[in-house]
Amino acid sequence: MSTVEERYARAELQLDVGKAQRVRRTPWVLIGLTGLLTLAVGLTAATDLRRLQSPRGAALAWTESAVFGDCRAFVALSRPVDVNTERRTEAQLCRALRTRTEDARASSTRIRISPVRVDQQEGTARAVVRVVRPEGSVDAQLTLVREGDDWLVLRDAVACDAVGCP
């Protein structure tokens, strides 16, 4: 017959063996999870980049940036109709965009943006994007031009009046 101390020692030894097995397995589980997470992020990024290379995706992304004041995307996804007449610097444009979109950022959960129609012809496209706000909805008529693999929205008065960009 064994004493209580001997039984505790055997039980602790069994627990130590199980713990050692878990410790040996942990790095492989962590490496596997990290690999899966990296793969998921990569697939999402690739899908998002392909979406931006279509007139529909570029129009949606630009409209979202114009409505909510994401200056980096706003500038990257658009260009003025006439580059020579644009008098504002990028910093001034960003300040004006952030100021004009404060209310939209405050009520961002109540604003919806959805595509209505896209007509594409070679290097140009026309897109209609619906912006639904608490005070009503508006259909923004956007003109897009192709530059390389990307589609850019022309910042004209019609587009900016509809979505609220400066």
Side-chain angles (χ1 to χ4, degrees):
M1 208 149 124
S2 62
T3 66
V4 173
E5 289 84 15
E6 290 172 344
R7 283 185 284 174
Y8 280 142
R10 278 195 304 267
E12 284 182 25
L13 184 60
Q14 285 178 336
L15 289 175
D16 287 343
V17 170
K19 185 177 181 182
Q21 288 174 343
R22 279 192 307 277
V23 168
R24 281 193 302 268
R25 253 191 331 253
T26 301
W28 294 109
V29 171
L30 185 60
I31 290 169
L33 288 174
T34 303
L36 287 174
L37 182 62
T38 303
L39 180 64
V41 168
L43 288 174
T44 303
T47 302
D48 198 38
L49 287 175
R50 287 197 57 171
R51 177 182 67 93
L52 288 175
Q53 291 180 339
S54 72
R56 178 182 180 271
L60 283 171
W62 180 82
T63 303
E64 182 178 309
S65 69
V67 168
F68 297 115
D70 180 2
C71 186
R72 194 178 80 196
F74 179 78
V75 171
L77 293 170
S78 66
R79 71 176 175 100
V81 175
D82 184 10
V83 179
N84 297 324
T85 61
E86 180 66 49
R87 303 253 189 270
R88 296 176 290 184
T89 66
E90 190 173 315
Q92 291 170 329
L93 184 66
C94 287
R95 256 191 315 278
L97 180 67
R98 296 293 289 176
T99 301
R100 190 158 184 179
T101 57
E102 285 178 13
D103 293 338
R105 284 192 306 279
S107 62
S108 63
T109 58
R110 299 184 306 160
I111 297 174
R112 288 181 296 139
I113 300 170
S114 59
V116 175
R117 183 181 73 249
V118 176
D119 300 318
Q120 180 180 345
Q121 296 176 343
E122 294 185 26
T124 62
R126 295 222 180 260
V128 178
V129 178
R130 182 165 293 139
V131 180
V132 180
R133 300 173 192 245
E135 55 273 1
S137 74
V138 65
D139 287 348
Q141 307 272 335
L142 307 177
T143 303
L144 292 95
V145 293
R146 188 174 191 104
E147 287 190 10
D149 289 337
D150 300 326
W151 286 92
L152 301 177
V153 174
L154 292 178
R155 291 191 312 256
D156 57 10
V158 174
C160 281
D161 286 345
V163 297
C165 62

